[in-house]
């Protein structure tokens, strides 16, 4: 299976979000080739789930909600993100502000 570069995946997500009328930005730029991708979902400024692209036991990538259960707990979320970045300094952090951001991520993931 060909592995797509992180930069390509991030650019695709940014374009899909903007094409759907949402806002997307790179908060932390990771390695062009590799690194985990975290997606902070929001809807009109209200925080939603934090999603992480992970490699599954079945050999493909999946998206999972990670971090604190309370999406409004900004301090706990920041601590989680810092811990993940220490584990993988190549990490990308993307912020999306669009209605039903997790659904957009799922559709985007199906393309990759």
């Amino acid at each position: 299976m060909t592995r797509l570069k992180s930069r390509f995946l991030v650019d695709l997500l940014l374009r899909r979000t903007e094409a759907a009328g949402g806002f997307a930005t790179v908060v932390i730029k990771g390695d062009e080739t590799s690194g985990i991708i975290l997606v902070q979902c929001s809807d009109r400024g209200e925080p939603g789930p934090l999603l992480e692209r992970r490699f599954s036991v079945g050999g493909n990538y999946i998206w999972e909600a990670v971090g604190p259960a309370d999406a409004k707990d900004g301090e706990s979320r920041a601590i989680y993100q810092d811990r993940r970045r220490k584990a993988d300094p190549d990490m990308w952090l993307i912020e999306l502000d669009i209605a039903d951001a997790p659904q957009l991520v799922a559709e985007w993931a199906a393309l990759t």
Side-chain angles (χ1 to χ4, degrees), residues 56-85:
S56 75
V57 177
N60 53 348
Y61 287 102
I62 58 171
W63 284 89
E64 290 184 327
V66 295
D70 181 5
K72 294 184 180 191
D73 186 354
E75 184 177 343
S76 292
R77 182 163 286 187
I79 291 169
Y80 178 83
Q81 291 168 354
D82 287 343
R83 191 172 72 238
R84 290 301 289 138
R85 187 148 191 220

Side-chain angles (χ1 to χ4, degrees), residues 23-95:
F23 172 79
T25 189
V26 175
V27 178
I28 298 173
K29 183 180 178 194
D31 183 71
E32 297 284 323
T33 304
S34 63
I36 63 170
I37 301 173
L38 292 178
V39 178
Q40 169 58 59
C41 300
S42 299
D43 185 359
R44 287 176 247 150
E46 286 297 313
L50 179 65
L51 304 175
E52 182 174 338
R53 182 176 185 247
R54 294 183 172 184
F55 201 64
S56 75
V57 177
N60 53 348
Y61 287 102
I62 58 171
W63 284 89
E64 290 184 327
V66 295
D70 181 5
K72 294 184 180 191
D73 186 354
E75 184 177 343
S76 292
R77 182 163 286 187
I79 291 169
Y80 178 83
Q81 291 168 354
D82 287 343
R83 191 172 72 238
R84 290 301 289 138
R85 187 148 191 220
K86 286 177 185 170
D88 185 353
D90 297 330
M91 178 187 91
W92 289 81
L93 177 58
I94 311 304
E95 183 175 336

